[in-house]
Amino acid sequence: SRKALSLGLASHVGETVNYDVQTFGSSLPVKVMEALTMAEVKVIESGWAWMVCGERLIIWKISQTAVAKLSVCKELQLPPSEHSYYADLLDITSSSPLESAALQSVCILVVSAEGRARFWPNLAQEGNYSETDLDLGEFCNSVVTVRGGSFIVSSLRNRLLRASVDSAGKLHFRELVQGQGVLSGIGRRVSSLFGTFLSPPANETLHSVLWVGGASCLYTLTSSGLNKWELDDTWEQHVLRWDTQRALTESIADAIWGSDSNYEEMKEGANVAYLDMKLSQCGLVVLAAAWNPSDSPCLAYFCLVTLQDNGAAISDLFTVEVTKFNPPFQVSAMETGSRAEAVAQDDKTKLLKAAFLQFCRNDLVGAQTLTDELFPVDGEGAELDSTVVQIDLDLVDDYPASDPRWAESVPDESVGFPLTSLIILHQLEDKMKAHGCFMDFLLQVGLLERLGQVTVRSSPMATRLLLCEHAEKLQAAMALKNHHAKNTELVTRTISKALQQSNTPVPPSLTAADVFFREVSQISSALECLLEEEERSLKENQVNSVQWAETVLAVNNIIKDMLQAAGQYRETKASLYRCVEDTATEPEFVPWTASTAVRSVISRQHDIILHSVYPHADSSLRGVLCEQLVALLDIYLGGYVAQLTSLQQQRPPLAQQDRYSSLEMEYIQRRSELLHPLMELGQYQWAATLAEKYCDFDILVQMCEQTENQSRLQLYMNKFSQQNFSDFLFRWYMEKGKRGKLLSQPAAQHQQLASFLQSHQHLSWLHHIHVHDYASAHKTLYSQTNMETRYFVKKKTLLALSKLTALASDLPQDEIHKQVHEMVEQERFLLHQETLPRQLLQDKQQNPDNMPLLSAHNLIQLYICDDNRGANEYDYKKALDLLEYVEQDQVDVQALKCDIFSKALRRDDWSTADGNDDPLDAAKDSVFVKILLKLIQEGVPLQTYLPDVTDLLDSDDLSSLKTKPYFEFVLRANYEHFLQAQM
């Protein structure tokens, strides 16, 4: 807007013949000539000038001799800022007139867009400055020098602070409050009432700040009015506020459309924006722009309004002069939404570029208006993303139009952001500044927070992160260019190969470097070509030659520096590309440094170093190689972490659980494959560096075991306690069969070990015994005993240990007696299996220790089976004893009793008893009777074990004997005798 006014006045002057334009002052200092690239220059009447270039400030005196200008040109470092500096964000002052002021008497105040103020009390001492943060509430607009060596700092929303310097050189700030001038002497209640009407409107935009030193007056021009202050060295008074909208809008509309037939309609829809303000001999001159959206075509008219300040008021008499209309505006901010929507994609790209250039000229209002019309809030998001990406891509791949060698190669329409430098490295730096300006533009006009996602490398990616990728590639390109001077032949061959592979021609007037470094977006193609050059060099040169090793070291450094430069930018500038909190779930983030192509390059280099170079290198070269390799692997693994982190941050958490799990498995596998070789080569320090950073616990444990460094293991247990390193170590010992080491942990780890062993009860009792916790040992062992159903010896051993630990424990005596009694019962049951004839178990075991644990039903069948040829009354008695251990809900006990006694009856030859009149005498030597006598001897009621005689006779085992009447007679007689005898 300020430049627009200057152009308007220059045009006005140029229409007369009474002016002549000549050069002023001597030639510019060398520093200034070198920095005249994308820089903003300001010249003030006192003969001083300054130029802002990135975060550098160059200030000099114009009218100086050739010798003097060298000492009066100073370069200062501005405070760090995420937003671009421009010349109005600083001003200078001096205790003496600036025209003749000595260098040491000149003071400078600079305020960044965010409000970081830096003050130099003495221009001769660049390093002597103080800093403070100003609470402006929004972005800083300008810094203006006023009376008494003080400054006025203004914000975009019309907040004004006066900065003054005390005797110690320290800055102090106080706010200029509007609406206090003529009311300052009346009561608080009255002043508060009038303040309601005199307070400035909320959210008004400040367009211009003007200091008139001769009258000690300060004027501010805002979107709603004109304000005036009178200032002394120590005080300020708000004199007036004049409503420009009310007073001027109708007059401006009359001056533009007054002769039109539809004047009333045009006046009703007229829009007026107030852009800037200057002081002339005729009065205050305000630059305004007016348009009507319903006008066809919609044109913008620039007007110069001359006002008269009468001291306490602005005169109602003023002049309005319409300078000229601006045809390019007809497709810009003045158009209606429906017309803007019809603009083709290519046109929208051009128009957004135009808005960007308006922003670069400090015309924020024009840029905002044009942007809002092109991309309304309720518009299509995908179109915005593609347009923004294309413009940023055009910036980073822009042509150096000022280089005459490129004259025939530059497209008809370039991005429009001039690259004036002829040096490649400076061109890349200029592109970096242009990208920063574009990001600032997107933020200021509200587009950055509206960006969604685009498709990159066949996958979705957040648009903001792709913009960051463009900047990262610029950093990588600068790193590669810096190596061009150190390794000229290698880099030249590399970029030539890259251009050849992409079929990119090199015009005769240009070098391969000119063409390659112009297209920054393709910078990653150099990485693979570097490896091809490296492999060629290794084949062509002898192993012991200097060039053989130097090529490998150079390639390592180039790849490392390129990828690290990109990663460092991504990390340090993360806040600039961070998504807003309420953004929908973003896609998985795969940095270009973690793309398949780049990972392949690092993997190949990993193999080349370890298999082709390392075996032939001496100890010093091996150390350097390992250090370089670790840096490359750090980048490789860091890419996986970035991917996994992006998946973790999705809402709802881990929305893509399957994708996360598969990627994590891939990461763990590749991590192991890359770090194991370092460990195998004995490079424990380098392997540990990455294993610690990326939590490869397997590598850390193996290294500590190989080096027998138990103290380091303890260190890792403490360091990675939150990541459950102890559990990993204990599990590793379990899997490797190192149970002795598992159970010999120091006291500090006993609690963690006990927690781990809760899910490994077969070992936890050993730990309990080790720490003399016999009650817990008994509890664990007894639980293990009851769960053991497979092996006899194991169950017997567990039972014995459980009984011993119970007796050794501090449990109450009654509880110990109860537990021991239960265990004795189990031992009785086990004794039945232990006393089985060995031949019956031969088919059940190969190794005595692996003898299966048999159930009560199985044991009964073994005792009474036909294979137990020597079975007698004792075997059958044991079978009957085992009935109490049979699970009655699974086995028919009555049928089992019939089975036992029927098999006992079959043990005797009953045919020899025929003809014996005494059935008791006939059966007295039978196994059946001996069993009954044994039961009676032990005092066991026969009814408990004897089945019903009818059921017994019906059993299948006695089918052959049942046909003999005498057998049934003897059996029933003995049943009757023994049952009555016991009653």
Side-chain angles (χ1 to χ4, degrees), residues 412-462:
D412 293 336
E413 293 186 6
S414 64
V415 71
F417 206 98
L419 296 175
T420 58
S421 179
L422 305 180
I423 300 172
I424 292 177
L425 188 60
H426 293 170
Q427 291 170 7
L428 296 173
E429 292 171 348
D430 292 346
K431 289 182 177 183
M432 194 73 230
K433 296 168 187 173
H435 170 81
C437 288
F438 186 58
M439 291 301 298
D440 197 17
F441 163 71
L442 295 176
L443 176 66
Q444 296 286 352
V445 298
L447 292 183
L448 188 61
E449 63 185 23
R450 293 171 53 195
L451 295 179
Q453 61 186 49
V454 290
T455 300
V456 182
R457 296 181 286 276
S458 303
S459 298
M461 183 179 188

Side-chain angles (χ1 to χ4, degrees), residues 867-978:
D867 290 338
N868 190 9
R869 296 183 180 87
N872 54 30
E873 66 273 18
Y874 294 98
D875 293 295
Y876 288 99
K877 173 60 169 58
K878 291 177 182 177
L880 292 172
D881 290 341
L882 285 167
L883 287 174
E884 66 175 298
Y885 301 106
V886 170
E887 298 179 5
Q888 298 189 12
D889 57 339
Q890 298 180 8
V891 178
D892 186 347
V893 177
Q894 293 303 318
L896 192 54
K897 290 178 182 178
C898 290
D899 199 24
I900 294 171
F901 280 102
S902 65
K903 284 185 168 50
L905 288 167
R906 288 180 54 191
R907 287 287 175 178
D908 293 296
D909 184 7
W910 294 98
S911 61
T912 59
D914 287 350
N916 192 331
D917 294 335
D918 187 356
L920 300 181
D921 182 61
K924 65 180 180 180
D925 293 326
S926 67
V927 174
F928 173 72
V929 171
K930 290 179 180 179
I931 294 171
L932 298 182
L933 292 172
K934 186 79 174 157
L935 291 172
I936 293 171
Q937 182 183 356
E938 293 183 4
V940 179
L942 294 180
Q943 294 89 338
T944 304
Y945 292 106
L946 273 176
D948 184 81
V949 66
T950 303
D951 293 340
L952 181 59
L953 287 169
D954 289 339
S955 64
D956 293 339
D957 284 332
L958 298 181
S959 58
S960 59
L961 293 175
K962 185 180 178 182
T963 59
K964 299 176 180 181
Y966 184 75
F967 169 74
E968 183 177 351
F969 163 70
V970 172
L971 180 61
R972 287 183 178 276
N974 278 276
Y975 250 80
E976 180 181 343
H977 169 73
F978 284 104

Side-chain angles (χ1 to χ4, degrees), residues 170-184:
K170 185 177 180 181
L171 276 176
H172 298 275
F173 295 86
R174 68 175 181 274
E175 187 164 4
L176 272 68
V177 182
Q178 299 183 25
Q180 289 188 350
V182 297
L183 301 177
S184 59

Side-chain angles (χ1 to χ4, degrees), residues 87-229:
D88 283 345
L89 288 177
L90 66 128
D91 208 343
I92 64 174
T93 186
S94 173
S95 55
S96 57
L98 278 170
E99 291 81 356
S100 59
L103 196 64
Q104 58 269 24
S105 68
V106 177
C107 309
I108 304 178
L109 176 63
V110 179
V111 182
S112 69
E114 300 93 332
R116 184 71 175 174
R118 181 174 289 185
F119 177 68
W120 283 268
N122 183 343
L123 182 56
Q125 299 176 0
E126 299 95 324
N128 178 23
Y129 60 82
S130 59
E131 285 191 356
T132 187
D133 286 317
L134 303 183
D135 183 16
L136 291 172
E138 60 272 326
F139 290 115
C140 182
N141 177 72
S142 66
V143 177
V144 176
T145 299
V146 293
R147 286 193 58 163
S150 60
F151 304 87
I152 296 296
V153 180
S154 62
S155 74
L156 290 175
R157 296 299 181 191
N158 196 29
R159 189 178 179 198
L160 305 177
L161 301 179
R162 185 170 185 179
S164 56
V165 186
D166 60 19
S167 57
K170 185 177 180 181
L171 276 176
H172 298 275
F173 295 86
R174 68 175 181 274
E175 187 164 4
L176 272 68
V177 182
Q178 299 183 25
Q180 289 188 350
V182 297
L183 301 177
S184 59
I186 64 178
R188 180 174 300 175
R189 291 180 61 188
V190 179
S191 64
S192 64
L193 174 64
F194 278 94
T196 303
F197 299 100
L198 295 176
S199 296
N203 298 323
E204 66 177 344
T205 301
L206 179 66
H207 295 303
S208 180
V209 178
L210 175 64
W211 167 247
V212 182
S216 293
C217 291
L218 179 76
Y219 296 92
T220 62
L221 178 64
T222 72
S223 55
S224 61
L226 177 71
N227 290 275
K228 176 183 176 182
W229 277 267

Side-chain angles (χ1 to χ4, degrees), residues 20 39 68 135 146 216 282 288 294 320 328 445 473 512 591 667 688 723 838 845-847 856 876 902 933:
D20 183 25
D135 183 16
V146 293
S216 293
C282 300
S294 63
V320 179
V445 298
K473 288 184 175 180
Y667 165 57
Q723 290 85 3
R838 295 298 95 186
Q845 61 177 339
Q846 296 295 327
N847 184 329
Y876 288 99
S902 65
L933 292 172

Side-chain angles (χ1 to χ4, degrees), residues 563-578:
L563 299 182
Q564 281 184 346
Q568 287 170 0
Y569 180 89
R570 185 188 313 135
E571 182 179 348
T572 57
K573 298 293 184 178
S575 60
L576 184 59
Y577 304 91
R578 184 181 296 118

Side-chain angles (χ1 to χ4, degrees), residues 365-614:
V365 175
Q368 183 73 67
T369 309
L370 176 54
T371 302
D372 290 344
E373 290 293 336
L374 283 173
F375 297 104
V377 175
D378 56 351
E380 178 62 37
E383 190 177 34
L384 169 62
D385 289 291
S386 59
T387 303
V388 167
V389 168
Q390 186 59 53
I391 293 177
D392 196 53
L393 189 62
D394 290 344
L395 283 174
V396 299
D397 287 346
D398 200 9
Y399 293 80
S402 62
D403 188 338
R405 299 174 304 147
W406 278 92
E408 297 180 359
S409 304
V410 176
D412 293 336
E413 293 186 6
S414 64
V415 71
F417 206 98
L419 296 175
T420 58
S421 179
L422 305 180
I423 300 172
I424 292 177
L425 188 60
H426 293 170
Q427 291 170 7
L428 296 173
E429 292 171 348
D430 292 346
K431 289 182 177 183
M432 194 73 230
K433 296 168 187 173
H435 170 81
C437 288
F438 186 58
M439 291 301 298
D440 197 17
F441 163 71
L442 295 176
L443 176 66
Q444 296 286 352
V445 298
L447 292 183
L448 188 61
E449 63 185 23
R450 293 171 53 195
L451 295 179
Q453 61 186 49
V454 290
T455 300
V456 182
R457 296 181 286 276
S458 303
S459 298
M461 183 179 188
T463 307
R464 300 175 343 279
L465 299 179
L466 179 57
L467 299 180
C468 182
E469 178 176 308
H470 292 164
E472 292 172 26
K473 288 184 175 180
L474 276 168
Q475 296 291 333
M478 285 188 271
L480 179 58
K481 183 56 187 169
N482 283 325
H483 277 283
H484 199 180
K486 307 173 191 174
N487 304 281
T488 305
E489 182 180 355
L490 173 62
V491 176
T492 299
R493 293 174 70 98
T494 296
I495 60 180
S496 297
K497 184 180 288 293
L499 293 173
Q500 181 182 0
Q501 291 181 354
S502 62
N503 296 319
T504 303
V506 179
S509 60
L510 299 171
T511 66
D514 290 326
V515 177
F516 180 80
F517 285 105
R518 193 277 304 172
E519 195 173 8
V520 174
S521 61
Q522 302 302 314
I523 195 68
S524 59
S525 63
L527 297 173
E528 187 172 352
C529 296
L530 270 172
L531 262 62
E532 293 177 8
E533 281 301 307
E534 178 187 44
E535 290 170 339
R536 181 195 59 79
S537 177
L538 290 174
K539 291 178 181 177
E540 294 180 357
N541 294 286
Q542 296 293 326
V543 171
N544 57 356
S545 67
V546 174
Q547 191 173 2
W548 177 82
E550 285 182 346
T551 300
V552 178
L553 297 177
V555 169
N556 285 340
N557 276 329
I558 293 173
I559 297 175
K560 171 179 68 70
D561 290 350
M562 287 178 66
L563 299 182
Q564 281 184 346
Q568 287 170 0
Y569 180 89
R570 185 188 313 135
E571 182 179 348
T572 57
K573 298 293 184 178
S575 60
L576 184 59
Y577 304 91
R578 184 181 296 118
C579 65
V580 294
E581 291 184 1
D582 57 349
T583 301
T585 297
E586 291 196 340
E588 175 184 344
F589 173 48
V590 185
W592 70 276
T593 53
S595 63
T596 302
V598 175
R599 281 179 178 163
S600 176
V601 166
I602 297 178
S603 296
R604 281 176 58 192
Q605 189 67 357
H606 177 269
D607 293 339
I608 291 172
I609 292 172
L610 295 182
H611 299 142
S612 302
V613 183
Y614 188 91

